[in-house]
């Protein structure tokens, strides 16, 4: 019998957050049942649209007790989806596994590489699984690029420019996302998916140089097994190219391989739904898949910027 005929049960931590609606929709689209949700804020009216009967908690202690009682009664939730602030992911993953549930966690899975090692031991101790949302691996344009690279000569090294600008207002810096200790800063909070994607396609990082590392932007150079990558991340609207501004855009994504642009601005709307489907089919991405990008993000945010020396991204000002 497939999961389609046997609905799985879910809990959700971080129900009032920006990314939670994609998880809630993914649960619904995959015939799951959201049984309970947790958030310190109670602006969670979206639950009425999808799962109005779900229990709701504003205190983690009560949510933990709910999970514990279900487990004691032989009704442990199949999964707990985690959409909480980055620095709480490790604790919330542990809450899920201790109470007999697998965890499905947003990026970044955790902030530090040693947290991954500890969670691997917890998986063994509890016989539960931890999955990370690495949805760019399911994007059709990214899959096509990976297939193309895999068909190239083994010794070919590609020149890549990665540019991602997603402008944010003043609220961002007052929230937990603007706190380096809680979010990991721009390179982890914003860049983690791209660092995963690049290593998934071109192989693990062999060398990293950071040119700029600020609260609202970062840039550097990566030597991967099959690529030389100049990367630029920014939250500053002024960094968006004028042509994109003229179209009213506040986000700009670009990957060039050689001089060829890889278009992947669209195609994001159902990637969480596909990710959940993969997990339910036993094909989700786990700790081993997530570790390389966590290591790289940690290394970059703890690096000393070198300034505009060497091979730096063309968006950097001279």
């Amino acid at each position: 019998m497939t999961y389609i005929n046997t609905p799985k049960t879910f809990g959700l931590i971080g129900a009032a957050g920006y990314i939670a609606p994609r998880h809630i929709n993914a649960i619904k689209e995959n015939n799951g049942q959201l049984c309970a949700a947790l958030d310190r804020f109670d602006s969670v009216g979206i639950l009425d649209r999808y799962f109005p009967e779900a229990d709701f908690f504003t205190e983690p202690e009560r949510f933990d007790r709910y999970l514990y009682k279900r487990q004691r009664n032989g009704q442990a939730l199949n999964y707990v989806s985690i959409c909480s602030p980055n620095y709480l992911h490790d604790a919330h993953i542990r809450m899920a596994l201790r109470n007999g549930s697998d965890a499905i966690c947003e990026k970044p899975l955790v902030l530090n590489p040693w947290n991954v090692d500890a969670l691997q031991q917890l998986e063994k101790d509890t016989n539960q699984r931890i999955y990370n949302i690495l949805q760019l691996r399911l994007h059709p344009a990214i899959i096509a690029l990976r297939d193309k690279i895999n068909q190239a000569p083994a010794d070919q090294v590609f020149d890549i420019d990665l540019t991602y600008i997603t402008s944010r207002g003043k609220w961002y810096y007052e929230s937990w996302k603007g706190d380096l200790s809680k979010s990991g800063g721009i390179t982890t909070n914003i860049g983690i998916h791209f660092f995963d994607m690049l290593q998934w396609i071109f192989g693990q990082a062999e060398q990293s140089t950071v040119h700029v590392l600020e609260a609202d932007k970062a840039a550097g150079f990566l030597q991967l097994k099959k690529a030389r990558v100049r990367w630029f991340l920014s939250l500053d609207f002024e960094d968006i190219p004028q042509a994109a501004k003229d179209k009213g855009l506040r986000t700009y994504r670009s990957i060039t391989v050689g001089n060829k642009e890889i278009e992947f601005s669209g195609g994001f709307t159902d990637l969480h739904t596909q990710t959940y489907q993969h997990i339910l089919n036993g094909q989700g991405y786990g700790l081993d898949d997530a570790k390389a990008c966590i290591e790289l993000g940690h290394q970059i945010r703890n690096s000393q910027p070198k300034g505009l020396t060497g091979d730096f991204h063309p968006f950097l000002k001279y």
Side-chain angles (χ1 to χ4, degrees), residues 269-283:
T269 54
D270 65 344
L271 292 183
H272 277 73
T273 296
Q274 291 182 41
T275 298
Y276 270 68
Q277 186 177 43
H278 276 235
I279 292 170
L280 292 169
N281 286 333
Q283 300 171 328

Side-chain angles (χ1 to χ4, degrees), residues 89-104:
H89 286 178
D90 182 76
H92 291 156
I93 289 170
R94 291 174 177 279
M95 182 191 295
L97 269 63
R98 284 198 315 268
N99 288 292
S101 304
D102 290 347
I104 301 174

Side-chain angles (χ1 to χ4, degrees), residues 15-16 38-44 56-58:
L38 165 68
D39 203 295
R40 58 183 292 192
F41 300 106
D42 57 11
S43 297
V44 291
F56 178 68
F57 302 89
T58 59

Side-chain angles (χ1 to χ4, degrees), residues 95-238:
M95 182 191 295
L97 269 63
R98 284 198 315 268
N99 288 292
S101 304
D102 290 347
I104 301 174
C105 188
E106 259 300 334
K107 63 81 185 168
L109 184 74
V110 288
L111 294 178
N112 304 304
W114 53 85
N115 298 135
V116 179
D117 299 332
L119 289 177
Q120 286 176 324
Q121 183 59 51
L122 185 62
E123 279 191 327
K124 295 177 182 178
D125 294 343
T126 60
N127 199 32
Q128 304 294 150
R129 289 291 313 276
I130 301 166
Y131 299 98
N132 199 197
I133 301 290
L134 300 173
Q135 73 265 36
L136 282 184
R137 296 190 183 196
L138 301 180
H139 193 292
I142 302 304
I143 293 173
L145 176 59
R146 186 173 191 253
D147 290 343
K148 179 181 178 180
I149 300 306
N150 287 339
Q151 293 167 9
D155 60 349
Q156 185 172 354
V157 179
F158 297 84
D159 289 313
I160 311 296
D161 279 353
L162 168 69
T163 311
Y164 182 51
I165 306 167
T166 177
S167 53
R168 293 289 187 264
K170 294 180 180 179
W171 69 269
Y172 185 95
Y173 305 98
E174 297 299 323
S175 75
W176 64 267
K177 295 182 180 182
D179 185 333
L180 180 66
S181 67
K182 294 181 177 181
S183 69
I186 184 172
T187 57
T188 294
N189 192 50
I190 301 296
I192 197 76
H193 275 317
F194 297 102
F195 294 138
D196 172 71
M197 175 198 72
L198 289 169
Q199 293 184 99
W200 185 61
I201 296 173
F202 299 101
Q204 283 194 261
E206 299 174 350
Q207 177 190 346
S208 171
T209 302
V210 177
H211 296 122
V212 173
L213 187 60
E214 300 174 357
D216 65 346
K217 69 189 67 181
F221 173 82
L222 289 173
Q223 179 70 57
L224 306 181
K225 181 178 180 181
K226 301 186 70 173
R228 293 179 292 265
V229 182
R230 299 185 299 185
W231 57 270
F232 179 84
L233 306 171
S234 176
L235 305 174
D236 186 354
F237 176 74
E238 295 305 316

